[in-house]
Amino acid sequence: MTIPALLSDQVAQAFRAILGDSLPEGFCPVVSASQDLRFGDYQCNAAMILAKQVKMNPRELAGKVVEALRASCSQAIPEIAGPGFINFRINAAYYAERMKSMLGDERLGVPLAAEPKSIVIDFSAPNVAKPMHIGHIRSTIIGDTLARLARFMGHTVITDNHIGDWGTQFGMILWGWKHLLNQENLAKDPIETLLSVYKEVNKLCKESPDLLVDCKAELVKLQGGDPENLSIWKRCVSLTQSGLEKIYEQLDIHFDYWLGESFYNDALEPLVNDLLNKGIARVSEGAVCVFSDGFHKPQQDPFLVNKDGEWQPVPAIIRKADGAFLYATTDLATLDYRIAHFNADSIWYVVGAPQDKHFKQIFDIERMRGVQGDFRHVAFGSILGHDRRPFKTRDGETVSLQDVIDEAIQRATRVIEEKSPDMPADEKARIARMVGVGAVKFAELSQNRLSDYIFDWDKMLALTGDTAPYLQNSYVRVKSIFRKLEEGEYTPAAASPELSEDAEIHLARLLARYAEIVPSTLDDCRPNLLAAYLYELARAFHSFYEACPVLKSSGDTRTTRLSLCDLTARVLKQGMGLLGIEMPDRM
Ligand code: ARG
């Protein structure tokens, strides 16, 4: 049990003893970490909330609770503060006890989820023959972290790469394939080649509108099942997939499924008919649309928009007047499939904020159909260049994920070369990959996902500040302590830590907090909570290491300090692992 959960139970018991039957049923006091350690380690505002309900003075109620807790709570000293807060100062001895149990626990104190769920995580999802751009980076990295966290918490996780493998771009691609394709380039770099074919045809179409008609005809043939076009399309998809696999491999990111948009083609027509039959959709100007059913207030209604003070309908179109199905239609079919085949309780979509309206409409149509679940749009902002405009290459192109990885590794190689010129070349290469990829991932994950951030190579690869290289370097430093020990000089199981110095207590406090941070990072789908915590932990470690000699100390003090180092290394490694970042042993 985490410390806040434990304190919450004790506070609840104290309330029950004081209020008896007037305690509202199921009342669960919230205990949270204090922002400011001067007020203790944890705090609880339940007395203030309850006082209103039971018509008591909040400070008086808090006072009674504190009195009851003084007798029952051995882990902390409770204090009353302000209008009725209860603050807790955790005893050093209790932190030592926590350390002891962490030392023998592979999960380092993190509890498993009380109710394991089946969670489908939909992330990355680039489009065939369109650039996998920097926006897909955010989805790929955040989605992977959520999958790791959810698995670690004991959920059943299904990762599904819902690639855009069926769309109007194929008209141009098919024409280009037949008239422009360079087979040699295709073999070398399929993703880039398909993309440049697409760009080329796009340009030609602008010059001669007749070509557009030809492309459209290719698309219609594909949709009609023409064997030649179908087989070209299949090759495009599979070439793209193998190109993507290479990128994901470098990132150590893997998918359980690759059910792209085309997988749902046959489900679209029956779905639209079903929605028509149920009266959820109706025909408007030839198209099949879903309109608001008036369930929400207009402000919250995803099918309404306010124009000049008036609410106007923005229906979700699920079949165009020409019979074509849309992105929304596919997403509805996809959701059905995931519930039916993966038994999904939860479906999380890691997709940029501009698709907010799309997902709100999808989830709301599910409500109209009576389909229930924890459906979340895990949105994120943009990545910007130094000019605060969308991040682009020098010649104004979107930056591809592969370019980012390549450059990150190159730059990391320079960092390693400077730090450890004598390292063997293959080790250098291995570590440069960990550092480079880690730097890109950490720069992403340490941001609040909803805000835009500036892509800054120098900052993300710096050995100081909240960067992967800093944390990796901290880990290496902790590990190096253990390399200086004789065999058998430290056995974690035998350690019984005792804490006395402030720096020791503070490090132990942060170590214990790991058990709270991991679950709440997943609850809020906010990897930056874990990233910020790991940075704080590394900093606390450095302060501790400056204030408290480890190898030069002796006896129990030495064992305690070694176990603080040991736990710091383990939390750093596991925590960064949950962010998908590897820790080198040397660098
Ligand atoms: N392919 C889409 C894009 O690049 C993202 C798909 C996200 N997933 C989904 N189920 N809609 O914008």
Side-chain angles (χ1 to χ4, degrees):
M1 205 189 264
T2 61
I3 296 178
L6 184 93
L7 293 175
S8 167
D9 273 4
Q10 293 180 348
V11 173
Q13 264 172 39
F15 273 121
R16 209 166 298 125
I18 296 159
L19 295 172
D21 287 346
S22 30
L23 183 72
E25 205 169 315
F27 184 76
C28 180
V30 175
V31 174
S32 52
S34 305
Q35 294 303 322
D36 187 335
L37 286 174
R38 280 174 304 176
F39 304 124
D41 299 28
Y42 293 90
Q43 61 179 29
C44 175
N45 62 0
M48 277 142 64
I49 295 171
L50 268 185
K52 258 197 209 119
Q53 294 182 31
V54 299
K55 299 201 176 65
M56 268 178 85
N57 173 311
R59 211 180 140 88
E60 193 191 320
L61 180 58
K64 287 195 171 157
V65 173
V66 164
E67 211 173 291
L69 284 170
R70 286 240 158 95
S72 66
C73 174
S74 61
Q75 296 86 359
I77 301 172
E79 270 158 16
I80 172 165
F85 285 107
I86 303 165
N87 292 341
F88 294 92
R89 203 169 293 280
I90 303 292
N91 302 326
Y94 186 62
Y95 278 134
E97 220 177 278
R98 283 263 153 180
M99 280 178 63
K100 174 118 186 121
S101 75
M102 280 176 85
L103 283 166
D105 177 10
E106 250 170 53
R107 299 185 57 79
L108 297 165
V110 181
L112 285 164
E115 289 170 43
K117 298 260 162 60
S118 288
I119 307 175
V120 173
I121 306 184
D122 177 320
F123 67 101
S124 198
N127 304 312
V128 175
K130 283 192 183 173
M132 171 152 173
H133 54 76
I134 199 96
H136 288 115
I137 282 199
R138 298 202 76 168
S139 171
T140 306
I141 297 175
I142 297 170
D144 175 59
T145 294
L146 296 180
R148 288 172 192 264
L149 282 161
R151 283 207 174 103
F152 183 70
M153 291 304 297
H155 299 291
T156 301
V157 174
I158 299 107
T159 53
D160 184 11
N161 198 0
H162 187 71
I163 54 170
D165 60 357
W166 193 255
T168 48
Q169 76 263 39
F170 282 102
M172 289 185 194
I173 293 292
L174 283 161
W175 191 90
W177 182 287
K178 292 177 185 176
H179 297 91
L180 303 172
L181 189 68
N182 175 328
Q183 288 289 348
E184 225 170 274
N185 290 351
L186 185 71
K188 255 188 271 156
D189 190 346
I191 296 189
E192 277 306 309
T193 309
L194 289 175
L195 180 61
S196 63
V197 167
Y198 173 72
K199 282 188 189 154
E200 175 103 33
V201 183
N202 209 355
K203 210 173 86 200
L204 292 175
C205 282
K206 283 195 186 119
E207 288 159 14
S208 77
D210 287 353
L211 185 56
L212 207 56
V213 178
D214 295 345
C215 292
K216 183 94 207 236
E218 295 289 0
L219 182 66
V220 171
K221 268 167 73 184
L222 172 71
Q223 288 166 339
D226 172 76
E228 187 193 2
N229 280 10
L230 266 182
S231 94
I232 297 176
W233 166 74
K234 272 199 190 124
R235 286 237 26 227
C236 289
V237 175
S238 88
L239 283 168
T240 301
Q241 180 158 346
S242 44
L244 288 172
E245 300 265 24
K246 268 194 216 137
I247 300 182
Y248 293 136
E249 187 63 47
Q250 284 177 298
L251 294 169
D252 188 24
I253 290 177
H254 308 275
F255 291 91
D256 301 318
Y257 293 91
W258 287 68
L259 303 178
E261 293 179 13
S262 69
F263 181 77
Y264 302 97
N265 281 353
D266 294 341
L268 304 182
E269 188 164 317
L271 176 93
V272 169
N273 289 338
D274 182 55
L275 286 172
L276 278 169
N277 289 339
K278 293 200 169 110
I280 294 171
R282 64 182 154 89
V283 179
S284 164
E285 294 171 36
V288 180
C289 303
V290 179
F291 287 88
S292 169
D293 65 348
F295 180 85
H296 300 282
K297 287 196 199 112
Q299 288 82 351
Q300 269 103 47
D301 194 323
F303 300 95
L304 293 179
V305 65
N306 197 309
K307 267 203 196 117
D308 307 325
E310 275 197 44
W311 292 105
Q312 303 196 351
V314 260
I317 305 174
I318 56 175
R319 189 169 68 204
K320 288 204 275 189
D322 67 6
F325 300 107
L326 295 100
Y327 185 52
T329 330
T330 310
D331 255 327
L332 291 168
T334 307
L335 197 146
D336 282 354
Y337 182 87
R338 288 170 175 170
I339 290 186
H341 287 79
F342 300 135
N343 264 319
D345 306 298
S346 308
I347 308 178
W348 298 350
Y349 300 82
V350 188
V351 184
Q355 294 191 28
D356 183 56
K357 187 116 200 154
H358 166 75
F359 285 108
K360 283 206 171 107
Q361 290 192 334
I362 296 291
F363 301 161
D364 216 38
I365 295 174
E366 295 304 334
R367 173 192 54 77
M368 296 179 195
R369 301 167 77 202
V371 178
Q372 283 176 2
D374 161 29
F375 308 137
R376 295 187 203 175
H377 176 201
V378 181
F380 51 81
S382 323
I383 304 184
L384 307 175
H386 281 291
D387 54 0
R388 302 210 119 264
R389 305 177 54 126
F391 187 48
K392 291 269 163 71
T393 62
R394 232 168 279 140
D395 25 316
E397 297 266 342
T398 44
V399 183
S400 82
L401 183 47
Q402 186 63 62
D403 294 346
V404 170
I405 298 174
D406 292 346
E407 180 150 0
I409 296 176
Q410 246 176 47
R411 286 177 184 252
T413 310
R414 270 178 257 152
V415 175
I416 307 294
E417 234 139 45
E418 226 162 85
K419 251 183 108 347
S420 318
D422 305 329
M423 196 181 268
D426 57 335
E427 191 175 357
K428 232 182 240 170
R430 201 172 52 84
I431 294 175
R433 195 189 62 84
M434 288 185 193
V435 173
V437 170
V440 172
K441 288 187 177 180
F442 196 84
E444 168 58 57
L445 296 169
S446 55
Q447 304 295 324
N448 177 334
R449 65 180 156 77
L450 286 165
S451 32
D452 299 342
Y453 75 94
I454 293 178
F455 198 87
D456 184 336
W457 284 116
D458 293 330
K459 203 176 144 227
M460 71 174 78
L461 280 150
L463 286 160
T464 52
D466 55 340
T467 67
Y470 171 74
L471 285 157
Q472 288 166 323
N473 201 32
S474 307
Y475 176 77
V476 167
R477 282 181 66 182
V478 192
K479 288 303 260 190
S480 73
I481 297 169
F482 290 91
R483 274 200 287 275
K484 296 188 188 117
L485 294 183
E486 304 279 320
E487 184 69 36
E489 233 189 296
Y490 165 72
T491 26
S496 277
E498 277 174 43
L499 303 164
S500 51
E501 299 293 323
D502 281 349
E504 294 172 343
I505 297 171
H506 187 55
L507 186 54
R509 170 187 293 128
L510 285 179
L511 288 166
R513 221 163 256 187
Y514 180 60
E516 300 150 41
I517 296 291
V518 172
S520 58
T521 298
L522 183 66
D523 287 345
D524 296 349
C525 294
R526 280 193 197 287
N528 63 313
L529 297 181
L530 179 57
Y533 162 81
L534 293 169
Y535 176 54
E536 200 185 347
L537 179 68
R539 286 188 28 197
F541 173 77
H542 289 289
S543 309
F544 152 80
Y545 200 60
E546 255 163 49
C548 306
V550 177
L551 294 172
K552 291 210 177 83
S553 60
S554 59
D556 290 345
T557 306
R558 192 169 193 254
T559 315
T560 295
R561 291 181 182 172
L562 280 171
S563 47
L564 281 164
C565 296
D566 183 17
L567 285 174
T568 301
R570 285 168 60 189
V571 169
L572 283 176
K573 179 156 184 140
Q574 188 177 83
M576 290 290 268
L578 291 170
L579 300 179
I581 300 171
E582 289 175 84
M583 294 299 232
D585 282 325
R586 301 207 302 153
M587 75 186 260

